[in-house]
Amino acid sequence: MKGRSSVYKHFQDGKKKFAVLVDPDKFTAARVKLLAGKAERSAVDFIFYGGSLLTEDNHDSYITILKENCSIPVLLFPGNYLRINRDCDGILLLSLISGRNPEMLIGKHVVAAPLLKDSNLEILSTGYMLIDSGRPTAVNYMSNTTPIPSDKDDIAVCTAMAGEMLGMKLIYLDAGSGAPQPVPVSMIRNVRKKIGLPMIVGGGIRNSGQAVEISNAGADLVVVGNAIEKDLSLIGRIASAVHELNA
Ligand code: 1GP
């Protein structure tokens, strides 16, 4: 962190939060600017930045646009750790603990370690868990891992507990980008009962009703990407619905 207040502290204040996910492959520069303005006016808590592929060469310029047009912390949500941007506020250092692919558990992290150490980014070590949503998602395919079945709450609970005991700072339950169904509420509730870490939930959330339900089940932070790409006005609606829970 470059003299800024700790991002992790925000996660620990017990308030319900909302993050917008920006996948640069799915945006134009003009739309990133619009999104930044709306997110700022709606007091969005975080902007997550990243995607599974990043096929376009717009990585750095979009982060500049975000930083110039809003004061919201921007956290890298990396599909590829080697694409680091030092103007961001932090990085979710994801270990894909629901899978058994060593590259995603530790391999890529080893390669990226010197760059990360040198970056001054706040490193948020995150136990990342993919939950089956009824159809393969980009992350399933790209990570070459099998998600946790959506009706196996006990596996999700034990995986999250293991992540916590391994010293991770955050747990992220993700149904995957564009998932037909978000992570089941019962699973979120059961994981919440057993772990004390801040919990992030994303994937397939399309409206403020779902965001509120997921927050009430125990998520500290809900993340929405796809639905916002299609309709930027959702930013304000979801932000106020989630933030009302803190009133
Ligand atoms: C995916 O959790 C994020 O990793 C957000 O998913 O794009 O479906 O909102 P959506």
Side-chain angles (χ1 to χ4, degrees):
M1 288 290 289
K2 302 149 193 163
R4 295 171 286 222
S5 66
S6 157
V7 170
Y8 191 56
K9 274 203 182 128
H10 290 308
F11 276 100
Q12 294 174 299
D13 66 9
K15 292 192 176 147
K16 299 296 183 185
K17 295 184 168 46
F18 168 48
V20 172
L21 171 64
V22 176
D23 179 343
D25 283 349
K26 299 184 182 155
F27 275 88
T28 59
R31 214 157 154 78
V32 171
K33 189 169 176 185
L34 261 181
L35 178 145
K38 279 188 188 293
E40 180 80 8
R41 287 191 293 281
S42 310
V44 164
D45 298 280
F46 298 109
I47 293 176
F48 284 8
Y49 189 88
S52 299
L53 265 183
L54 304 188
T55 53
E56 307 289 332
D57 194 16
N58 47 19
H59 192 61
D60 290 330
S61 63
Y62 285 7
I63 290 170
T64 308
I65 294 171
L66 288 169
K67 294 308 284 181
E68 282 174 357
N69 290 281
C70 71
S71 59
I72 300 164
V74 179
L75 303 182
L76 288 168
F77 177 55
N80 180 346
Y81 291 125
L82 297 177
R83 297 188 78 157
I84 286 168
N85 182 296
R86 291 159 196 259
D87 292 330
C88 289
D89 298 84
I91 179 167
L92 297 178
L93 184 60
L94 308 174
S95 181
L96 183 42
I97 59 175
S98 58
R100 298 297 178 267
N101 176 349
E103 279 304 303
M104 308 304 286
L105 280 163
I106 182 68
K108 285 185 181 289
H109 316 66
V110 173
V111 175
L115 273 180
L116 288 171
K117 187 83 179 173
D118 194 40
S119 70
N120 254 355
L121 290 167
E122 182 172 339
I123 311 285
L124 297 154
S125 117
T126 304
Y128 184 62
M129 297 168 49
L130 276 181
I131 312 301
D132 193 18
S133 63
R135 72 165 161 81
T137 62
V139 198
N140 297 155
Y141 181 78
M142 295 302 289
S143 67
N144 197 16
T145 67
T146 308
I148 295 175
S150 60
D151 60 345
K152 300 292 181 206
D153 292 13
D154 50 350
I155 298 179
V157 169
C158 293
T159 306
M161 282 165 53
E164 180 170 47
M165 288 186 282
L166 281 165
M168 281 154 187
K169 289 182 162 177
L170 300 165
I171 291 291
Y172 192 148
L173 303 188
D174 198 346
S177 191
Q181 297 297 329
V183 177
V185 165
S186 77
M187 183 180 278
I188 299 165
R189 211 176 274 131
N190 284 322
V191 171
R192 173 78 289 157
K193 281 185 204 151
K194 293 288 182 185
I195 64 159
L197 291 179
M199 181 168 37
I200 305 171
V201 178
I205 301 170
R206 290 181 174 75
N207 55 55
S208 50
Q210 288 174 322
V212 165
E213 202 182 15
I214 284 168
S215 301
N216 278 332
D220 298 282
L221 173 71
V222 293
V223 185
V224 183
N226 262 267
I228 283 168
E229 282 153 24
K230 293 182 190 115
D231 177 7
L232 291 182
S233 73
L234 262 184
I235 295 176
R237 291 207 291 279
I238 298 181
S240 39
V242 169
H243 291 151
E244 256 173 43
L245 301 172
N246 299 322

